[in-house]
Amino acid sequence: MKAVIESYCCVPDLPDSRVEAFHYCLYGDCGMLHRGTVTIRTAKVLATEIRAGTAFAAMMRAISEGNPRNYGSLVGATFVD
């Protein structure tokens, strides 16, 4: 499987807090399997809860450990298992 971070977005105008998210795609042997969106908060939870050693887990870990000032630099990152 291959996981690719396609884009990053931030919604700063919410009354309580900013919502930051990454859009990603998961690919298998037959092409794209899933396209999704994950918030930073969810990525942090998933990074601690899912089994290590998969492309998806590596992507969640990279997002959760990323520097907030440089989230945009994760766009295009590819993770393979």
Side-chain angles (χ1 to χ4, degrees):
M1 182 190 303
K2 178 171 76 169
V4 180
I5 297 174
E6 292 200 320
S7 63
Y8 160 76
C9 65
C10 177
V11 182
D13 296 330
L14 295 176
D16 295 335
S17 65
R18 291 170 31 140
V19 173
E20 297 173 290
F22 288 88
H23 303 280
Y24 65 90
C25 283
L26 301 178
Y27 297 90
D29 293 337
C30 297
M32 187 173 65
L33 301 173
H34 177 75
R35 175 172 275 148
T37 302
V38 65
T39 65
I40 304 299
R41 289 182 196 174
T42 300
K44 288 181 181 200
V45 171
L46 290 173
T48 62
E49 297 293 326
I50 58 178
R51 179 178 57 92
T54 66
F56 184 75
M59 180 176 64
M60 291 300 115
R61 206 167 307 104
I63 291 170
S64 68
E65 295 173 357
N67 181 337
R69 293 183 182 181
N70 297 320
Y71 282 150
S73 68
L74 289 173
V75 174
T78 300
F79 308 87
V80 179
D81 62 19

